[in-house]
Amino acid sequence: MKKIKVRKIGNSLGVILPKSTGIHEGDELYFMQKGERLILDMTEADINRARTIIEKGFDDFKYNRTLTEDEMAKLLGKYGWHK
């Protein structure tokens, strides 16, 4: 188990979490206290991050930035793309 230091941030307290936790800046986490343990729940943050990635993947369709098979063949034919 790694140690992390509690720091004063304004009128609150905070901790710096390692990148290896998978938590990203701006994520909102649920927390609960069970006895002497604090539990951070990343479930909703992971779902929201995945939703953002998926929605961004549809931007090309939303803004009509798609190519036909013929256009793909013309642009990428030299790499083996063909009908």
Side-chain angles (χ1 to χ4, degrees):
M1 187 181 305
K2 292 184 177 182
K3 283 187 178 181
I4 56 176
K5 190 172 189 172
V6 178
R7 303 165 195 268
K8 184 172 171 65
I9 302 174
N11 290 328
S12 300
L13 297 173
V15 295
I16 305 296
L17 300 171
K19 274 187 172 181
S20 61
T21 61
I23 298 170
H24 294 84
E25 182 178 353
D27 284 351
E28 293 184 358
L29 309 175
Y30 284 101
F31 77 94
M32 67 178 134
Q33 186 170 354
K34 283 191 174 182
E36 297 295 316
R37 295 177 181 256
L38 292 176
I39 300 168
L40 296 176
D41 184 349
M42 298 172 27
T43 305
E44 189 171 320
D46 287 343
I47 290 169
N48 288 336
R49 196 173 317 106
R51 181 178 293 124
T52 299
I53 291 167
I54 291 166
E55 287 174 355
K56 186 166 177 42
F58 284 103
D59 279 354
D60 287 340
F61 295 101
K62 187 162 84 174
Y63 298 110
N64 201 26
R65 294 186 302 231
T66 58
L67 298 173
T68 65
E69 287 283 329
D70 289 336
E71 291 168 326
M72 291 291 282
K74 185 176 178 181
L75 287 170
L76 304 172
K78 64 183 175 185
Y79 302 111
W81 184 278
H82 53 83
K83 286 179 151 184

